[in-house]
Amino acid sequence: MNDALKLNQLNSFVAVVEAGSFTRGALRSGQSKALVSLHVKQLESELGVSLLHRNTRSLSLTEIGTRFYQDCLHVLQAAQLAIENARNHQQSLRGTLRISASAGYGSSVIVPALAQFAILQPALKIEYLGSEQYNDLVAEGLDLAIRIGSGLQDNNYRARKIDQFRLVVVAAPDLLQRYPTPRGPQDLLSFPWVGRPKSLEIPLVFDADGKERQTLLPTPHVRANQFFAIKAFAEAGVGLAALPPQLVQQALTAGRLCQLLPEYQLPRYEIFAVYPNTSHPPIKVRALIDFLLEYIAESAPSAGGSDAFKGFGEHLS
């Protein structure tokens, strides 16, 4: 980049594009319209290209202007991050951070992580919302939401993967004593099941090396809209259940539940930290996401090299 292309010129260009006019861009950037217009002209002159189509009523990006705008966002974000990191070095985060997660994953993973994060950042106020809904982050005033990997194509949001998991099929020992030992997925259909409401049902696809893929859609004898309730029914011996591994880990260790067909794998689900798509995400959001990644990586139990016991996610709680 030529010395003439300063960050304030890039900032003026981005402000004009995002505001839709030079007048509003000047107000947005806190500069005069004449200075903002000069910055854009200097950019175009230095680059030797037209970045904007102008007429008396509107302006729009040229093809090269569109690409340059995206590049400017990355440059400005990197510069802002460097400035914030320098300013916040060895300083505590401040303000309020509002985060949403489902009851299951939130209670098992996010809340314990937030507790440690709160101790490390005593000047930061934290508001946690347990919710089964896909909240509108902006309307709800949320900084961050933890969601399973679906419905994340909204351009209003950004998403960063923080975890993954596979469901496991479990049953109480008393129930297993009343039925023949299952040898394959199809044998599971002879058992009663505990499952989700019909609107939330998903087929169970079983995969194993050297074996044919099999898909089951059991008809539950008992249904519940939360995995905590399904787990309770399963522990009582009501039926089989396909549950997130972290939810049943203690019950498996204590012998209250047994995992069936561990040689088979169910599909992988990914969990994301979702936040509003702004040019400069707050440092408190970036700091929490980095902390969650480290916390989850350190606390994920080993499962013989499998990723089965690496968390479970939103809308599966």
Side-chain angles (χ1 to χ4, degrees), residues 131-136 146-152 314-315:
S131 174
E132 303 303 321
Q133 303 300 317
Y134 274 179
N135 304 86
D136 182 327
I146 308 302
R147 294 179 176 173
I148 197 169
S150 62
L152 300 180
E314 178 101 353
H315 282 245

Side-chain angles (χ1 to χ4, degrees), residues 10 212 249 289:
L10 302 184
E212 183 179 356
Q249 182 186 344
I289 292 175

Side-chain angles (χ1 to χ4, degrees), residues 57-240:
R57 294 185 177 182
S58 65
L59 58 84
S60 61
L61 285 165
T62 63
E63 182 179 357
I64 187 64
T66 299
R67 293 199 299 269
F68 186 69
Y69 167 70
Q70 295 297 330
D71 291 338
C72 285
L73 291 180
H74 294 309
V75 170
L76 292 173
Q77 183 175 351
Q80 182 65 28
L81 178 60
I83 293 170
E84 289 183 1
N85 285 343
R87 286 175 175 171
N88 290 281
H89 182 60
Q90 294 184 340
Q91 294 183 13
S92 61
L93 302 177
R94 298 183 181 277
T96 301
L97 189 149
R98 302 190 74 233
I99 178 173
S100 169
S102 66
Y105 191 73
S107 298
S108 298
V109 178
I110 300 302
V111 170
L114 283 176
Q116 292 191 20
F117 189 71
I119 293 172
L120 294 174
Q121 303 293 342
L124 179 67
K125 297 179 181 179
I126 296 175
E127 296 182 7
Y128 170 77
L129 174 66
S131 174
E132 303 303 321
Q133 303 300 317
Y134 274 179
N135 304 86
D136 182 327
L137 273 62
V138 176
E140 297 286 339
L142 292 166
D143 297 293
L144 195 67
I146 308 302
R147 294 179 176 173
I148 197 169
S150 62
L152 300 180
Q153 303 305 314
D154 192 328
N155 291 331
N156 293 318
Y157 300 134
R158 295 184 184 181
R160 187 173 176 187
K161 179 183 173 183
I162 62 170
D163 205 356
Q164 62 186 20
F165 73 97
R166 296 180 189 272
L167 296 177
V168 293
V169 178
V170 296
D174 289 346
L175 178 66
L176 296 178
Q177 291 180 3
R178 304 199 301 267
Y179 289 84
T181 301
R183 304 296 181 186
Q186 292 298 324
D187 296 336
L188 301 179
L189 293 176
S190 64
F191 286 78
W193 278 78
V194 182
R196 300 278 273 170
K198 287 186 177 181
S199 61
L200 300 175
E201 276 186 339
I202 56 173
L204 301 178
V205 181
F206 291 80
D207 262 322
D209 291 340
K211 299 182 180 180
E212 183 179 356
R213 173 180 294 185
Q214 300 185 50
T215 301
L216 303 184
L217 186 58
T219 301
H221 175 63
V222 174
R223 297 179 185 269
N225 68 347
Q226 289 193 342
F227 272 156
F228 280 132
I230 294 174
K231 172 176 171 283
F233 282 121
E235 287 190 20
V238 174
L240 305 185

